[in-house]
């Protein structure tokens, strides 16, 4: 029995020494595990002794080792508390200079494209247009057919498209016009909507990206004229870029409008006086517009004898480049916070 308690005492001593040497919680927990834990030296010793001891001594051995183990547990708790108190005291020593400014929490902010889209939506909302949105994965009918671009129509090449594998009639939309089609199929005139959204074209250079943001607009009612179109476009450009801004409409062609026009705005860099950016013309092209082709009304069941309409479209990224003087479209998408941070 004597040697037994010696052995246990030795183990307790070793435990105490190592515990005193432990300087952090993790070390303390390790020492405890090595001695008092389920597979700790003292428990293992206890099992060993109990197995080899005669029955008469089992009880006293059990008591002796449990006393040791209780001491171990108490010492363990004590060590943890000691460490905790030390950390709290150290904390209290730490003097906080309350006059120091707080850590600035860097607030995020809206992306310039979002800022531009919201401004465009607000300007049109003030003149009675509502915002319509729709799916980015579209059917061939909504993206092409209904817009007077049947299967073999050459205009399809102008809108080089991403087709969806094994579904020839499913495409990534090349413009937001399919939303106007869906809207006209869903409601009778009058219609006054603008349709912002992401569109996809197989196009990739400094000023074109395969994914870009576009906004289109549609106004259908009785007696809608080209003059209304010009008035709305001029109002929009002046609200977004300044009252000194002007527009120019140059004859053009789009399958879904007739007559059609390229839409130019006064150069934002020289305000129309002529500079290197606008090649001395004083104008910068931003998009297109026109009167809705009756062929389109036929596809959506509108009576083109009774209703006329105008439509327009431009790239929001391009508009944001002009509004914020950005020279490379990829800045909008390459996620460089130094660039994005400028637009608070
Ligand atoms: C319907 C009828 C007509 C929308 C229009 C344009 C002209 C146009 C381009 C500008 C730059 C696309 O973002 S861009 O690459 N768009 O020039 N879009 S008229 O005409 C429509 C739309 C829907 C039902």
């Amino acid at each position: 029995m004597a040697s037994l308690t010696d052995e246990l005492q030795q183990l307790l001593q070793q435990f105490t020494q190592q515990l005193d040497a432990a300087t952090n919680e993790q070390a303390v927990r390790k020492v405890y595990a090595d001695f008092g834990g389920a597979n700790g030296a003292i428990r293992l010793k206890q099992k060993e002794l109990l197995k080899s001891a005669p029955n008469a001594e089992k009880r006293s051995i059990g008591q002796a080792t449990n006393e040791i183990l209780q001491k171990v547990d108490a010492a363990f708790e004590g060590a943890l508390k000691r460490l905790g108190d030390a950390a709290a005291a150290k904390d209290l020593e730490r003097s906080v200079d309350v006059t120091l400014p707080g850590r600035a929490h860097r607030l995020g902010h809206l992306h310039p494209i979002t800022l531009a889209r919201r401004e465009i939506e607000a300007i049109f909302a003030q003149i009675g247009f509502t915002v319509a949105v729709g799916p980015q994965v579209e059917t061939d009918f909504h993206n092409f057919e209904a817009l007077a671009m049947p299967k073999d129509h050459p205009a399809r090449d102008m809108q080089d498209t991403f087709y969806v594998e094994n579904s020839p009639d499913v495409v990534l939309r090349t413009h937001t016009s399919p939303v106007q089609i869906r809207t006209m199929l869903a409601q009778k005139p009058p219609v006054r909507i603008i349709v912002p959204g992401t569109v996809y074209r197989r196009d990739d250079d400094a000023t074109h990206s395969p994914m870009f943001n576009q906004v289109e607009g549609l106004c259908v009612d009785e007696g809608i004229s080209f003059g209304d179109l010009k008035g709305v476009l001029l109002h929009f450009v002046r609200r977004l870029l300044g009252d000194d801004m002007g527009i120019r409409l140059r004859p053009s062609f789009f399958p879904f409008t007739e007559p059609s026009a390229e839409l130019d705005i006064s150069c934002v860099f020289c305000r129309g006086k002529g500079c290197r950016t606008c090649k001395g013309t004083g104008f910068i092209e931003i998009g297109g517009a026109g009167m809705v082709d009756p062929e389109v009304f036929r596809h959506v069941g509108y009576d083109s004898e009774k209703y006329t309409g105008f439509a327009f479209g431009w790239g929001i990224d391009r508009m944001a480049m002009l509004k914020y003087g950005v020279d490379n479209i990829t800045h909008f998408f390459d996620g460089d916070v130094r660039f994005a941070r400028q637009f608070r």
Side-chain angles (χ1 to χ4, degrees):
M1 182 61 178
S3 66
L4 153 101
T5 43
D6 299 353
E7 282 183 72
L8 287 172
Q9 283 306 331
Q10 263 165 17
L11 285 172
L12 181 59
Q13 216 167 7
Q14 284 168 23
F15 166 74
T16 314
Q17 279 156 0
Q18 290 186 27
L19 196 65
D20 296 347
T23 56
N24 58 55
E25 182 172 343
Q26 194 191 7
V28 164
R29 289 188 183 284
K30 178 159 181 348
V31 173
Y32 176 73
D34 293 350
F35 285 84
N39 303 317
I42 297 174
R43 281 200 200 284
L44 295 177
K45 179 58 71 183
Q46 179 187 45
K47 285 195 191 87
E48 178 201 324
L49 294 168
L50 286 172
K51 206 158 58 243
S52 58
N55 286 349
E57 287 186 16
K58 284 191 188 300
R59 183 170 165 68
S60 57
I61 291 171
Q63 271 171 344
T65 43
N66 283 343
E67 273 160 29
I68 296 275
L69 287 166
Q70 276 147 18
K71 286 189 183 130
V72 166
D73 290 355
F76 172 58
E77 295 305 330
L80 286 182
K81 185 171 180 326
R82 206 175 38 253
L83 284 174
D85 297 350
K90 197 161 171 300
D91 225 23
L92 288 174
E93 268 158 33
R94 196 164 54 82
S95 63
V96 177
D97 177 350
V98 290
T99 65
L100 281 175
R103 276 201 196 79
H105 292 290
R106 271 214 302 235
L107 293 178
H109 55 82
L110 293 173
H111 188 284
I113 301 279
T114 307
L115 289 171
R117 175 173 58 75
R118 289 190 175 189
E119 193 167 353
I120 293 167
E121 290 174 358
I123 293 168
F124 279 98
Q126 278 150 11
I127 55 175
F129 284 72
T130 55
V131 176
V133 293
Q136 298 189 18
V137 178
E138 261 297 3
T139 68
D140 186 283
F141 169 76
H142 291 97
N143 193 79
F144 288 122
E145 289 287 333
L147 287 149
M149 290 186 272
K151 282 264 180 290
D152 54 2
H153 193 289
R156 290 193 181 210
D157 308 343
M158 275 158 51
Q159 306 202 4
D160 210 346
T161 307
F162 293 97
Y163 287 88
V164 175
E165 202 103 47
N166 321 331
S167 5
D169 282 345
V170 178
V171 299
L172 292 190
R173 66 181 182 187
T174 58
H175 47 187
T176 57
S177 311
V179 179
Q180 285 103 303
I181 296 295
R182 289 174 179 280
T183 304
M184 289 193 282
L185 287 168
Q187 70 173 78
K188 290 277 162 270
V191 173
R192 281 180 181 68
I193 57 174
I194 57 159
V195 186
T198 305
V199 299
Y200 305 83
R201 294 190 187 173
R202 285 201 298 153
D203 217 347
D204 197 357
D205 58 32
T207 54
H208 294 85
S209 125
M211 175 207 84
F212 66 99
N213 301 282
Q214 181 190 61
V215 61
E216 292 194 359
L218 175 70
C219 174
V220 180
D221 206 339
E222 296 182 53
I224 297 293
S225 73
F226 199 91
D228 298 324
L229 170 61
K230 191 170 180 186
V232 164
L233 293 174
L234 188 56
H235 169 81
F236 162 71
V237 168
R238 288 183 169 163
R239 290 305 310 280
L240 185 75
L241 299 164
D243 288 341
D244 63 332
M245 292 293 285
I247 65 170
R248 181 176 65 178
L249 294 167
R250 277 174 299 116
S252 178
F253 169 81
F254 302 108
F256 31 78
T257 50
E258 186 56 43
S260 305
E262 295 298 344
L263 169 61
D264 304 333
I265 63 172
S266 306
C267 173
V268 291
F269 302 101
C270 66
R271 312 309 281 184
K273 295 186 203 52
C275 69
R276 208 166 46 70
T277 309
C278 64
K279 304 181 189 63
T281 64
F283 283 99
I284 291 180
E285 180 188 326
I286 63 153
M291 300 308 287
V292 179
D293 192 302
E295 165 78 10
V296 174
F297 286 150
R298 197 171 59 69
H299 282 290
V300 296
Y302 279 12
D303 174 358
S304 55
E305 292 312 314
K306 184 173 177 196
Y307 297 107
T308 54
F310 66 66
F312 53 79
W314 49 72
I316 299 177
D317 320 329
R318 184 154 172 63
M319 201 59 98
M321 288 171 80
L322 294 172
K323 183 166 176 65
Y324 302 119
V326 175
D327 59 0
N328 187 330
I329 196 167
T330 57
H331 287 327
F332 287 130
F333 307 121
D334 55 20
D336 184 330
V337 287
R338 291 168 302 169
F339 170 77
R341 207 177 282 139
Q342 300 166 82
F343 303 92
R344 288 186 191 287

